[in-house]
Amino acid sequence: MSPKFKDISFLILTSLFFSCDKQVEIPISKTQYVINVHTDDLDNRNIFLYKLAPTFSLIDSTLIINNTAHFKGKIDFPERYAIKIKGIDSGKLFIIENDSIEVVIDKNDLTQSTIKGSKLNDELIEFQNKSKQINVKIELLFPDLQRARLNNDAETLEKIASQISAIEQENINFNFEYVNQHPTSFISAMILNDLSKRAGIDVDRIFNAYQKLSNNVKQSSDSKEVELFLAL
C-alpha cells in the first residue's frame, strides 16, 4: 500500500472519537466525578472504567444492577477514559471531569453509547461534528479507491492519493486552528497530544500551538505528553 494511505485511520478515529447528546438534566457535582451508567438487559455484568493515558489502565470496576452502574472519584484535570462491559468487545471513549456524567449504553455497539451532562463532552460534540464534515470526504473516496485497486489502475490510485493527502492536510489545519482558538480548553491539549503521534507532523507547529495553551491546561496529562514529545 502506498505510504500516502498510512494515516487515513487518524482521520477516521478523529471522527469517531465521541458520540454525544447535549440536552440533559442530572445532578451536578463539581468536586468529584459521578458517572451514572444506564443499560438495557445487561444486569449482573461487570463494567470497567479504564484510563487511556499515559497507558491503558484499569481504574475501577463494578456490577450492573437493575440496569444501572455508578463510578465516583476525583481527578486533578480532565482526561480521556473508556468504559468496557464484560462480554462485549468494543468500548466507549469519553472525557471525565469533576462533574456529573450520564452514560446511556448501546449494548449492540458501545461506541454509539451517548454521553450527557458534561460541558467538556458537549464542547467535543461541536469539534466532532466539524471534523466529520472533513472526514466524510475521505469516506466518499473509498468506493473509487477499492475499484482502482481491483483494476490495478495506478493513475487513478495516484489521483485519489493526492485527494486524500489534501483532505488530511485540511483536517490537520482544522485541528491546529481549533487549538489556537481555544487555548484554555483541555480538549486542545488532547488534540495536540494526538497530533504529536501522527507520522510526519510539523514539530514546530506543535510547539507554537503548545506555547499558546493556558498555564492551567499545560498541567494536564495530555500536555505533559506533548512536552515529552517536544523534549521541553
Side-chain angles (χ1 to χ4, degrees):
M1 184 184 297
S2 169
K4 295 182 179 180
F5 296 109
K6 284 185 178 180
D7 295 317
I8 295 175
S9 59
F10 171 82
L11 294 173
I12 304 303
L13 286 173
T14 300
S15 70
L16 295 177
F17 189 29
F18 292 100
S19 175
C20 310
D21 291 331
K22 283 190 174 182
Q23 300 301 324
V24 67
E25 292 184 5
I26 56 178
I28 300 299
S29 172
K30 295 299 184 182
T31 59
Q32 63 177 351
Y33 65 78
V34 178
I35 305 171
N36 301 301
V37 183
H38 304 277
T39 70
D40 179 23
D41 196 28
L42 291 175
D43 270 1
N44 300 315
R45 297 273 193 108
N46 291 104
I47 182 169
F48 307 95
L49 181 65
Y50 289 89
K51 182 179 178 181
L52 267 64
T55 59
F56 193 74
S57 54
L58 179 63
I59 299 299
D60 201 355
S61 65
T62 188
L63 197 66
I64 298 173
I65 300 175
N66 294 327
N67 285 316
T68 61
H70 308 279
F71 295 102
K72 292 183 180 181
K74 185 176 181 179
I75 56 176
D76 294 326
F77 300 97
E79 296 185 61
R80 287 174 285 188
Y81 285 73
I83 279 180
K84 293 180 66 67
I85 297 175
K86 186 175 182 180
I88 300 179
D89 290 335
S90 59
K92 178 61 182 178
L93 303 175
F94 65 110
I95 298 173
I96 289 183
E97 55 184 321
N98 290 326
D99 205 341
S100 293
I101 302 171
E102 182 178 354
V103 182
V104 181
I105 294 294
D106 183 336
K107 66 180 180 181
N108 297 314
D109 185 356
L110 287 189
T111 64
Q112 298 303 309
S113 302
T114 56
I115 311 296
K116 304 178 181 180
S118 162
K119 289 183 178 180
L120 206 50
N121 281 297
D122 286 347
E123 177 190 341
L124 196 63
I125 295 171
E126 298 180 17
F127 173 82
Q128 174 197 18
N129 289 340
K130 291 177 182 178
S131 182
K132 279 183 177 180
Q133 294 174 16
I134 301 172
N135 297 338
V136 72
K137 299 176 186 179
I138 285 182
E139 295 173 17
L140 293 174
L141 290 173
F142 283 168
D144 292 338
L145 178 62
Q146 295 287 12
R147 280 192 294 270
R149 284 175 175 167
L150 288 172
N151 296 328
N152 292 318
D153 187 342
E155 183 178 349
T156 300
L157 283 172
E158 188 67 23
K159 179 180 178 181
I160 294 173
S162 178
Q163 290 175 297
I164 289 176
S165 294
I167 297 168
E168 286 179 333
Q169 190 59 52
E170 182 182 355
N171 186 73
I172 290 171
N173 291 340
F174 165 69
N175 277 259
F176 277 113
E177 287 169 7
Y178 191 93
V179 172
N180 291 332
Q181 293 170 9
H182 301 82
T184 62
S185 172
F186 287 95
I187 290 175
S188 293
M190 297 172 190
I191 292 171
L192 280 184
N193 189 14
D194 289 344
L195 285 171
S196 72
K197 294 175 172 59
R198 193 179 189 280
I201 196 65
D202 186 333
V203 177
D204 289 338
R205 207 170 178 188
I206 292 278
F207 176 80
N208 291 333
Y210 170 81
Q211 290 294 92
K212 295 178 181 178
L213 296 180
S214 70
N215 290 333
N216 190 39
V217 171
K218 285 180 179 178
Q219 301 307 309
S220 68
S221 296
D222 284 280
S223 290
K224 296 304 178 184
E225 289 197 47
V226 175
E227 288 178 4
L228 288 174
F229 169 77
L230 296 170
L232 295 179

